[in-house]
């Protein structure tokens, strides 16, 4: 689905800087409103703390780390909600992946049944909630989102580029510096993206 920022989360923070990008880093079940991890494409910690922490949907925010030229945040949601959040929470939907920009949120949602999705769709329409459905997949297709939902876009790009240029081949087909040049970043940043991306993939597949 795609929804405007003010129908979902962090509308205030996203509107302050049109170029900012926020990714939900963990699976988020909305009914329990569990504490998620967010990745935000900004290293301006004072602004991030003020903008995200001051958003009406947020109760508390803590900067955990600097990763892939952005900040990793732990967020406690406030009791404040939106009609769209209420609808998907009541349907027991879970967010597998979420990417937010000033233009809106792109969400991959898992519904327990097709009927739950249908009821949620009709309720959004009845209540004039602005949204669009880009695709619907069966439960077999949804299972493929496990690892993808864990990786940030820069990590996915780095891993894909490393595979394409032969970085993982034996013997190695490209050096770290070559990979970094292809990505347009420093070799240190390339190494960090690869290590963190590989760690996430392995933790998902081997646990």
């Amino acid at each position: 689905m795609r929804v405007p920022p003010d129908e979902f989360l962090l509308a205030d923070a996203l509107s302050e800087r049109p170029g900012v990008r926020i990714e939900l880093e963990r699976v988020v079940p909305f009914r329990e409103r569990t504490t998620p991890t967010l990745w935000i494409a900004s290293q301006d910690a004072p602004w991030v703390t003020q903008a995200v922490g001051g958003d009406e949907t947020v109760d508390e925010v803590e900067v955990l780390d600097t990763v892939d030229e952005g900040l990793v945040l732990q967020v406690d949601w406030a009791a404040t909600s939106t009609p769209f959040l209420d609808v998907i929470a009541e349907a027991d939907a879970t967010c597998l992946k979420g990417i937010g920009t000033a233009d809106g949120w792109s969400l991959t949602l898992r519904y327990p049944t097709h009927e739950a999705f249908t009821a949620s769709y009709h309720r959004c329409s009845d209540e004039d909630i602005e949204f669009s459905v880009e695709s619907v997949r069966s439960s077999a297709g949804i299972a493929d989102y496990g690892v993808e939902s864990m990786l940030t876009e820069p990590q996915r790009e780095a891993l894909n580029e490393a595979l394409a240029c032969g970085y993982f081949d034996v013997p190695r087909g490209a050096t770290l510096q070559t990979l970094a040049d292809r990505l347009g970043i420093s070799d240190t940043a390339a190494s960090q993206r690869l290590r963190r991306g590989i760690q996430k993939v392995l933790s998902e597949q081997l646990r």
Side-chain angles (χ1 to χ4, degrees):
M1 283 186 170
R2 285 197 61 85
V3 295
D6 57 0
E7 294 282 14
F8 192 56
L9 299 167
L10 303 171
D12 297 339
L14 288 169
S15 66
E16 281 197 23
R17 293 191 180 181
V20 78
R21 174 189 175 96
I22 299 176
E23 296 187 18
L24 293 171
E25 285 267 297
R26 291 181 184 168
V27 172
V28 182
F30 293 110
R31 183 177 291 279
E32 291 84 1
R33 304 301 292 274
T34 54
T35 301
T37 301
L38 306 179
W39 176 83
I40 183 168
S42 173
Q43 293 186 344
D44 187 349
W47 172 78
V48 168
T49 303
Q50 180 180 6
V52 175
D55 194 281
E56 65 177 3
T57 58
V58 172
D59 189 16
E60 294 183 14
V61 61
E62 178 184 359
V63 177
L64 299 180
D65 200 0
T66 301
V67 176
D68 296 333
E69 302 174 1
L71 295 173
V72 177
L73 315 175
Q74 179 174 296
V75 176
D76 289 325
W77 299 123
T80 303
S81 187
T82 67
F84 178 73
L85 276 171
D86 290 339
V87 169
I88 57 180
E90 290 181 11
D92 284 331
T94 298
C95 183
L96 302 180
K97 183 178 180 181
I99 299 176
T101 67
D103 294 329
W105 281 91
S106 177
L107 305 171
T108 300
L109 303 177
R110 173 188 287 152
Y111 284 83
T113 64
H114 183 75
E115 289 74 18
F117 164 73
T118 302
S120 186
Y121 178 93
H122 288 302
R123 184 174 166 189
C124 283
S125 298
D126 293 342
E127 296 187 13
D128 294 325
I129 296 172
E130 187 178 350
F131 74 104
S132 63
V133 177
E134 297 188 334
S135 66
V136 179
R137 303 191 183 198
S138 67
S139 58
I142 288 175
D144 297 334
Y145 283 110
V147 172
E148 282 293 305
S149 66
M150 299 179 67
L151 298 174
T152 64
E153 185 61 34
Q155 289 166 357
R156 283 191 292 274
E157 180 188 17
L159 289 172
N160 284 327
E161 192 62 48
L163 283 172
C165 72
Y167 179 80
F168 295 119
D169 293 350
V170 180
R172 182 163 287 174
T175 65
L176 180 63
Q177 186 60 58
T178 300
L179 175 62
D181 290 343
R182 291 173 66 130
L183 293 170
I185 58 178
S186 69
D187 57 352
T188 300
S191 176
Q192 185 182 66
R193 290 185 189 183
L194 285 178
R195 286 188 293 103
R196 291 185 181 277
I198 291 170
Q199 181 184 38
K200 288 183 177 182
V201 171
L202 291 178
S203 66
E204 174 70 15
Q205 295 299 313
L206 299 181
R207 66 184 178 183

